[in-house]
Amino acid sequence: MKKIIAATALFCSLLLGACSNSQSNDADPAKDAGLSIVTTFYPMYEFTKEVVGDAGEVSLLIPAGTEPHDFEPSAKDMAKIMEADAFVYNSPALETWVSNVTDSIDTKQTAIIEAAQDIDLAENEEEHDHEEADHDHELDPHVWTDPVLAIQEVKTIRDQLSEAYPDQKDQFTENAAAYIEKLEALDKAYSQAFKEATQRTFVTQHAAFGYLARQYDLVEASISGISPDQEPTPSRLAELKEYVEENQVKVIYFEENASSKVAETLANETGVELAVLNPIESLTQEQMDNGETYLSVMEDNLSALQKSIK
């Protein structure tokens, strides 16, 4: 609560400063040189960057390699959002702090874009299986792990940016079409890979692939809930051990950017293989420097899933 009060007070002062400079900003030729767009975490960054192209600069608010579920913006972060031409986030189901920021933003200066706004989010079905109910994540936000819903998010970003900045509409439309074509190819690859599968079950470290599973008629069983910080109960682990054995699961998937201790424990107890399945909640700076992208990681995920789905 103290953090919210302090942040709100500072935010108000920043807002007053922004208002006093609004006339000069409107006349600033640098504003006409290109849009400044702030995005929350990696998929939002890539989706937006692909739509914007060279029409502006797209930045990442949540630092590379940072787990986004529990991120809280600093006063500097909030000022960065206020000064941008647009702010793109996934949904309040993930960025639970976003209403504290957006309520104070002048939407005439900064377009606020919720990429998942037209997607019906699924309820957190895993909540009852863990030590503490995850009330901050009662809805599953991981829509981007489904290529079909990723396309929908790209279209929402395209349409809302076009509405806010109509002079760039043609460019946004053209850029989005080129990227959507790649996402459609990704969807086709997933569909074909799992079309004839008879073993359709996979076990993950946390419940980040529910939308992907539903899209391709698969079954995800997760050790932890929507948030990777949730700890499974002993009864949940016992239940999963039995599940792995009964369903002849060969692989348990963990995440490189989160603790894999529980996944390793379950794999050791059941004698199955460990493999990486990336929920793309963030990419490390090294991964980004090496040219890894949403598309390349999703292709790696497809290869990894084929170890289970046969």
Side-chain angles (χ1 to χ4, degrees):
M1 180 61 72
K2 290 180 180 178
K3 287 183 180 179
I4 294 174
I5 292 172
T8 303
L10 182 53
F11 211 62
C12 290
S13 66
L14 291 168
L15 182 60
L16 289 172
C19 291
S20 66
N21 291 327
S22 61
Q23 289 184 339
S24 60
N25 283 345
D26 290 341
D28 187 353
K31 295 282 283 185
D32 298 327
L35 299 172
S36 171
I37 302 174
V38 174
T39 63
T40 50
F41 68 112
Y42 186 80
M44 300 303 100
Y45 169 77
E46 179 167 327
F47 296 169
T48 304
K49 193 173 178 64
E50 290 290 338
V51 172
V52 171
D54 59 9
E57 291 293 327
V58 179
S59 61
L60 189 61
L61 185 71
I62 300 176
T66 301
E67 210 288 315
H69 284 273
D70 300 318
F71 174 81
E72 290 289 342
S74 66
K76 184 177 179 180
D77 292 329
M78 292 189 284
K80 184 178 180 181
I81 294 169
M82 284 185 63
E83 293 165 2
D85 295 301
F87 170 56
V88 181
Y89 69 103
N90 183 68
S91 71
L94 181 70
E95 299 97 327
T96 55
W97 48 268
V98 79
S99 62
N100 295 327
V101 177
T102 55
D103 286 349
S104 302
I105 290 179
D106 180 358
T107 55
K108 293 181 180 179
Q109 297 290 326
T110 304
I112 301 172
I113 300 172
E114 180 186 339
Q117 70 173 27
D118 296 324
I119 299 172
D120 291 329
L121 300 185
E123 291 187 5
N124 181 357
E125 297 176 357
E126 300 292 334
E127 183 175 334
H128 63 279
D129 288 324
H130 303 283
E131 295 279 10
E132 297 179 7
D134 189 11
H135 296 298
D136 285 339
H137 297 98
E138 293 179 351
L139 297 176
D140 183 355
H142 300 90
V143 293
W144 63 88
T145 62
D146 173 0
V148 175
L149 295 182
I151 291 171
Q152 193 165 336
E153 291 202 294
V154 170
K155 289 179 177 179
T156 294
I157 294 168
R158 174 200 65 193
D159 293 346
Q160 301 235 353
L161 282 176
S162 297
E163 182 178 345
Y165 300 100
D167 289 348
Q168 284 84 15
K169 180 178 179 179
D170 289 346
Q171 186 171 358
F172 296 152
T173 301
E174 182 179 349
N175 291 343
Y179 188 59
I180 287 170
E181 187 175 332
K182 296 176 182 178
L183 292 172
E184 288 173 339
L186 182 67
D187 167 47
K188 185 176 181 180
Y190 270 80
S191 295
Q192 290 179 339
F194 304 136
K195 185 177 180 180
E196 304 296 334
T198 55
Q199 165 57 277
R200 310 188 76 86
T201 297
F202 63 104
V203 177
T204 60
Q205 182 166 319
H206 92 282
F209 299 91
Y211 295 99
L212 182 145
R214 283 185 285 275
Q215 186 67 241
Y216 303 109
D217 193 24
L218 307 177
V219 177
E220 178 196 33
S222 67
I223 298 171
S224 299
I226 294 298
S227 172
D229 293 334
Q230 286 177 267
E231 289 291 332
T233 63
S235 62
R236 174 62 174 167
L237 282 175
E239 178 184 312
L240 279 169
K241 181 180 179 182
E242 183 178 347
Y243 183 89
V244 166
E245 293 168 348
E246 287 183 353
N247 288 275
Q248 298 182 322
V249 172
K250 303 298 183 184
V251 182
I252 293 174
Y253 296 100
F254 72 100
E255 301 162 25
E256 289 179 308
N257 298 336
S259 173
S260 59
K261 184 178 178 180
V262 178
E264 290 172 358
T265 298
L266 184 59
N268 289 335
E269 289 185 359
T270 55
V272 303
E273 178 186 351
L274 275 173
V276 173
L277 200 62
N278 192 334
I280 327 179
E281 293 175 347
S282 68
L283 293 186
T284 65
Q285 190 60 53
E286 182 180 3
Q287 286 174 310
M288 294 171 68
D289 291 343
N290 289 338
E292 293 187 44
T293 65
Y294 171 86
L295 291 168
S296 71
V297 173
M298 285 294 289
E299 289 167 357
D300 290 342
N301 282 347
L302 174 56
S303 297
L305 279 171
Q306 288 177 296
K307 295 180 179 182
S308 292
I309 312 300
K310 298 179 180 179

